[in-house]
Amino acid sequence: MTSTSPVTVSELTREIRDLLQANFDSVACVGEVSNLIRARSGHLYFTLKDDKAQISAVMWKSRAERLKFDLQDGLEIVVMGPIEVYPPRGSYQLIVERAFPQGIGPLELAFRQLQEKLAAEGLFDTDRKKPLPRFPRKIVLVTSPTGAAVRDMLQVLTKRWSLAEIIVVPVPVQGATAAPQIARGIELAGRIPDLDLIITGRGGGSLEDLWPFNEEVVARAIAASRIPIISAVGHEIDVSIADLVADRRALTPTEAAEMSVPDQAELLSFLGETRGRLRQLLINQARQARFVIESLANRRLFTRPGELFSDVRRRLDELDEQLNRRMRDRCEQSQSRLQLAASQLDALSPLRVLARGYSLTRDAETGATLRSADQIEIGQTVKTKLASGEITCEVKQREFTSSNNN
């Protein structure tokens, strides 16, 4: 457009905007995401570029919330939307209404991204998974109350294990609002008293149909449950995020019901067989005990107990005889030693000396033995012990031997 009269910046910008919007009301563009900014308002601002050029892009909150995958720098995507001019900066930008990852479906990309995120947090680790109860008494099914899956599970559970109480927490298992309701159903199920097991899932379908079980809110509800959870989503080839987080994964809802409870008929048969084996074992033990008792009863101790006492009495008599003999020998030896000691003592006895004519003189007052004349004073009273009898004397005179000058 050519004009000889000048226009204002606003007018020029408006003309450019009208021109762009008229010719680029809907474009499809492929490029790499860079400089991604997540505004607090929920809008996404980023640059879409290739190796030769770049263009600013924005995705408003209403559109961003519908993304199944996580937009991030370095991701190559295909976007669709109009080109608009932003007058305050005089720049143009791509208004992204739809976005798809290049070379891979958005749901597949979202699955991989969430799988990597939760795996890094350890939500798939086997050491955090809880064991299933062997004989559950109360089971909750968090699923659609009208689907074929719930009918199959109820049929299998009641047939295999009629002792369990089955409670159904109804939730939608398909659609945009299903995931938060499934998570809420798992949370409510965990509040039921005396609950032993939770089964959640649904029958087969497309990836879009099964997608609520790939949502992060469901995965975290399963991980937070204190009650063991079995996940049974789709068919054998379908693997969901819920399957990876749950304590056990079942290939189908029917298999989930089978693995959650024992087979009552098989258990009764096993108990019957066990009872028979225990009965036969007790019979064998009784026979063995009887054989042992009969063997003991035929021993000499029980058949001729008197002989045992005879041997004991004979042995006691022998021991008594040996004891008496040894006592006699000991007494004779002691008597001989006593006689010898008596003879020796008698030979040393002062009475023997006195019998040969000697006497023993002592001080009459103190009783001290007097051995020398110089121990005696004139007029002192002494007592003299003879071989027979004793005399009391008063000293009149002292005489000393020639060897004593006193």
Side-chain angles (χ1 to χ4, degrees):
M1 181 180 69
T2 303
S3 175
T4 58
S5 60
V7 295
T8 65
V9 174
S10 299
E11 290 173 341
L12 178 61
T13 301
R14 183 171 59 253
E15 290 179 5
I16 294 173
R17 182 186 63 186
D18 294 340
L19 182 62
L20 284 175
Q21 291 180 352
N23 292 276
F24 298 93
D25 60 338
S26 180
V27 299
C29 182
V30 59
E32 179 183 325
V33 177
S34 66
N35 301 322
L36 176 65
I37 298 175
R38 299 179 184 273
R40 295 181 60 181
S41 60
H43 307 319
L44 301 179
Y45 299 93
F46 58 95
T47 299
L48 197 64
K49 67 177 184 178
D50 57 20
D51 56 348
K52 295 180 180 180
Q54 64 182 23
I55 184 173
S56 297
V58 59
M59 177 176 275
W60 306 124
K61 177 182 178 182
S62 59
R63 298 289 184 174
E65 290 177 341
R66 300 178 186 178
L67 280 178
K68 295 297 184 181
F69 61 95
D70 187 19
L71 199 64
Q72 53 189 235
D73 287 340
L75 183 64
E76 189 172 11
I77 61 174
V78 177
V79 298
M80 299 180 65
I83 300 293
E84 290 186 356
V85 174
Y86 185 55
R89 287 203 302 263
S91 62
Y92 65 91
Q93 59 187 1
L94 178 59
I95 307 300
V96 180
E97 295 180 344
R98 302 174 64 188
F100 307 94
Q102 176 71 353
I104 185 174
L107 295 182
E108 179 64 23
L109 177 59
F111 181 91
R112 294 181 183 179
Q113 289 176 337
L114 183 57
Q115 183 180 15
E116 292 175 0
K117 177 181 178 181
L118 298 183
E121 295 181 20
L123 265 65
F124 303 155
D125 295 348
T126 56
D127 56 358
R128 59 160 296 276
K129 297 182 182 293
K130 298 176 286 295
L132 302 184
R134 188 173 182 183
F135 303 106
R137 294 171 296 177
K138 186 178 293 186
I139 302 174
V140 168
L141 308 181
V142 181
T143 187
S144 171
T146 59
V150 70
R151 292 195 298 271
D152 293 342
M153 287 190 287
L154 288 174
Q155 183 178 2
V156 172
L157 290 171
T158 53
K159 180 180 179 180
R160 287 175 60 89
W161 190 246
S162 60
L163 301 178
E165 178 184 358
I166 311 300
I167 301 173
V168 177
V169 175
V171 295
V173 293
Q174 185 173 333
T177 62
Q181 295 187 62
I182 295 172
R184 178 61 175 168
I186 293 173
E187 180 185 354
L188 293 175
R191 300 178 185 179
I192 297 176
D194 303 322
L195 181 62
D196 297 313
L197 181 65
I198 297 174
I199 301 177
T200 186
R202 55 156 292 160
S206 64
L207 181 58
E208 290 77 7
D209 295 337
L210 305 180
W211 191 252
F213 292 94
N214 289 319
E215 294 281 359
E216 183 174 357
V217 64
V218 174
R220 295 202 179 278
I222 293 175
S225 174
R226 62 178 181 83
I227 306 298
I229 295 182
I230 298 177
S231 175
V233 180
H235 301 300
E236 181 176 354
I237 60 174
D238 301 316
V239 179
S240 67
I241 296 295
D243 293 334
L244 300 176
V245 179
D247 299 297
R248 287 286 294 276
R249 180 215 172 192
L251 301 180
T252 63
T254 300
E255 187 187 59
E258 291 175 349
M259 72 169 54
S260 64
V261 295
D263 189 325
Q264 189 169 338
E266 292 181 0
L267 183 60
L268 291 175
S269 176
F270 170 76
L271 292 176
E273 294 175 359
T274 303
R275 179 182 179 183
R277 289 196 297 268
L278 290 176
R279 183 174 181 274
Q280 187 60 45
L281 180 61
L282 290 174
I283 291 175
N284 294 339
Q285 289 182 342
R287 289 175 179 172
Q288 183 66 24
R290 179 176 295 179
F291 174 77
V292 172
I293 292 174
E294 290 176 353
S295 300
L296 292 174
N298 293 328
R299 292 185 178 182
R300 178 184 173 190
L301 172 64
F302 298 103
T303 56
R304 293 187 295 274
E307 293 184 1
L308 178 63
F309 295 132
S310 298
D311 293 342
V312 173
R313 285 196 296 268
R314 187 179 304 110
R315 180 59 178 163
L316 288 175
D317 291 340
E318 292 176 356
L319 292 175
D320 182 64
E321 183 179 353
Q322 292 178 6
L323 180 61
N324 290 332
R325 183 169 58 252
R326 291 181 180 179
M327 290 180 63
R328 288 195 300 269
D329 293 343
R330 181 64 60 85
C331 290
E332 290 176 358
Q333 294 175 2
S334 299
Q335 186 175 4
S336 298
R337 288 196 297 270
L338 182 60
Q339 290 176 353
L340 177 61
S343 299
Q344 293 174 347
L345 289 174
D346 186 61
L348 297 174
S349 174
L351 297 178
R352 286 281 187 179
V353 178
L354 296 176
R356 292 196 298 269
Y358 294 96
S359 64
L360 177 64
T361 302
R362 292 177 298 175
D363 189 319
E365 294 182 1
T366 64
T369 301
L370 302 176
R371 295 180 177 84
S372 174
D374 57 3
Q375 294 180 271
I376 304 172
E377 301 293 336
I378 300 299
Q380 181 179 350
T381 302
V382 296
K383 288 185 177 182
T384 301
K385 176 69 176 178
L386 304 175
S388 178
E390 187 179 65
I391 60 175
T392 301
C393 307
E394 182 180 348
V395 177
K396 299 294 186 178
Q397 184 179 348
R398 293 187 305 175
E399 294 183 1
F400 299 94
T401 61
S402 58
S403 61
N404 194 332
N405 294 327
N406 293 330

